[in-house]
Amino acid sequence: MRGMGNMQGMMKQMQKMQKQMAEAQEQLGIERLEGTAGGGMVKVIVSGDKKVLEVVMDSSVVDPEDVEMLQDLVVIATNDAMTKAEELTNSTMGQFTKGLNLPGMF
């Protein structure tokens, strides 16, 4: 019966960590990250939870004769924003997995 107190303490720690993780994920959803291309002529804004929120283009990049360039700029800006969101997620959520060795989980 001696180990039951230790188990309860561990469960409380897990519940606390679970609450902190939920709060961190909620905060990620609030964060806004910007990816750019073409020297800032195309911008893509994403949330920290990796949802595209906005695409902004300078009118000078909208050339009906060169749609492919515009498409490329949108892809580059989106990938830039998503990379930033991934880095933010890793730095925010990584604190919960430091020191854990869970085979098959990560």
Side-chain angles (χ1 to χ4, degrees):
M1 290 295 186
R2 186 175 261 187
M4 290 301 267
N6 194 21
M7 183 65 115
Q8 287 177 332
M10 187 185 301
M11 289 299 289
K12 281 186 179 187
Q13 280 185 312
M14 290 296 289
Q15 289 172 338
K16 181 180 175 183
M17 187 168 75
Q18 194 172 26
K19 182 181 177 192
Q20 290 172 332
M21 285 177 68
E23 290 169 354
Q25 286 177 321
E26 185 176 326
Q27 185 62 36
L28 282 173
I30 295 169
E31 293 291 329
R32 301 291 179 258
L33 302 132
E34 181 180 293
T36 61
M41 294 173 63
V42 174
K43 297 177 186 175
V44 174
I45 313 295
V46 299
S47 63
D49 58 355
K50 302 174 190 140
K51 292 184 174 92
V52 175
L53 303 173
E54 189 176 348
V55 177
V56 180
M57 292 175 225
D58 187 283
S59 61
S60 65
V61 298
V62 182
D63 179 0
E65 300 295 317
D66 196 1
V67 173
E68 287 181 16
M69 180 194 65
L70 180 57
Q71 292 169 336
D72 290 343
L73 291 172
V74 171
V75 169
I76 291 166
T78 303
N79 287 336
D80 183 35
M82 289 299 190
T83 297
K84 291 174 182 175
E86 184 67 26
E87 290 169 354
L88 179 64
T89 299
N90 290 340
S91 68
T92 300
M93 301 307 288
Q95 65 182 321
F96 299 109
T97 57
K98 281 184 187 160
L100 292 178
N101 185 10
L102 303 172
M105 293 292 287
F106 303 98

